[in-house]
Amino acid sequence: MKILVINGPNINMLGTREPEIYGKTTLEDINKELVEYSKTLGDIEFDFFQSNHEGEIVDKIQASKGYDGLIINPAAYTHTSIAIADAIKSLELKAIEVHLSNPQQREDYRKISYTASACVGVIAGFGKESYKLALLGLINKINE
Ligand code: DQA
């Protein structure tokens, strides 16, 4: 199984960015932990992509032919990007939205997700564990 993991703006700053909200683990370590965890689930191949630019994320989604699933943390674009939502909807593959924090417990402007409607599910609020839970959920959806 081939899974693409996309992280949006400022996720490259994890470790030092608002650690009281997002934790102290870097994105690189989150990705390593996800690879380790995936070994308990089967033979899974990953590609990891992070960008601070909306258009680059759209380009990457459009180029995702050949993957079985997408895990995406669109970060702040969650709350603004019809373009990313449309790109996900244009794909055959299943996508799951993931957040470290629980946007529903935060500022009102974070309570709207444009991208969630393009995804089969959303996992939010479990810190770095959100990515592992998302992988588990995504594999279940792919194997349905
Ligand atoms: C986030 C939540 C977003 O509201 C925020 O803009 C982020 C991170 C999360 O993972 O909790 O950058 O997607």
Side-chain angles (χ1 to χ4, degrees):
M1 192 176 285
K2 264 188 91 177
I3 305 287
L4 177 62
V5 182
I6 296 180
N7 281 286
N10 300 305
I11 302 297
N12 56 317
M13 299 299 287
L14 290 182
T16 52
R17 174 193 180 199
E18 298 182 275
E20 64 289 357
I21 297 175
Y22 299 116
K24 290 184 181 155
T25 311
T26 63
L27 180 57
E28 200 187 336
D29 284 342
I30 287 177
N31 292 346
K32 277 189 196 151
E33 277 190 32
L34 189 62
V35 170
E36 276 311 305
Y37 173 68
S38 76
K39 291 176 186 164
T40 66
L41 302 175
D43 189 11
I44 302 164
E45 205 182 304
F46 290 96
D47 274 316
F48 295 99
F49 179 77
Q50 189 278 328
S51 175
N52 295 323
H53 304 279
E54 185 176 20
E56 282 184 6
I57 294 170
V58 170
D59 286 345
K60 189 70 186 177
I61 293 168
Q62 287 182 4
S64 66
K65 204 169 187 295
Y67 291 95
D68 300 296
L70 169 67
I71 294 173
I72 183 163
N73 182 350
Y77 288 138
T78 304
H79 320 297
T80 63
S81 183
I82 297 168
I84 292 176
D86 283 349
I88 299 170
K89 282 179 191 160
S90 75
L91 301 177
E92 294 279 315
L93 62 74
K94 290 189 171 143
I96 189 151
E97 179 170 310
V98 57
H99 299 285
L100 295 136
S101 66
N102 178 0
Q104 297 304 319
Q105 284 188 320
R106 301 181 62 194
E107 300 93 334
D108 282 348
Y109 59 82
R110 294 187 203 275
K111 291 183 181 160
I112 301 276
S113 170
Y114 284 90
T115 41
S117 65
C119 296
V120 292
V122 178
I123 304 279
F126 298 94
K128 63 186 171 127
E129 304 305 316
S130 288
Y131 289 86
K132 295 174 195 156
L133 296 169
L135 178 65
L136 188 60
L138 183 59
I139 290 171
N140 273 283
K141 284 283 184 189
I142 291 168
N143 290 333
E144 255 173 13

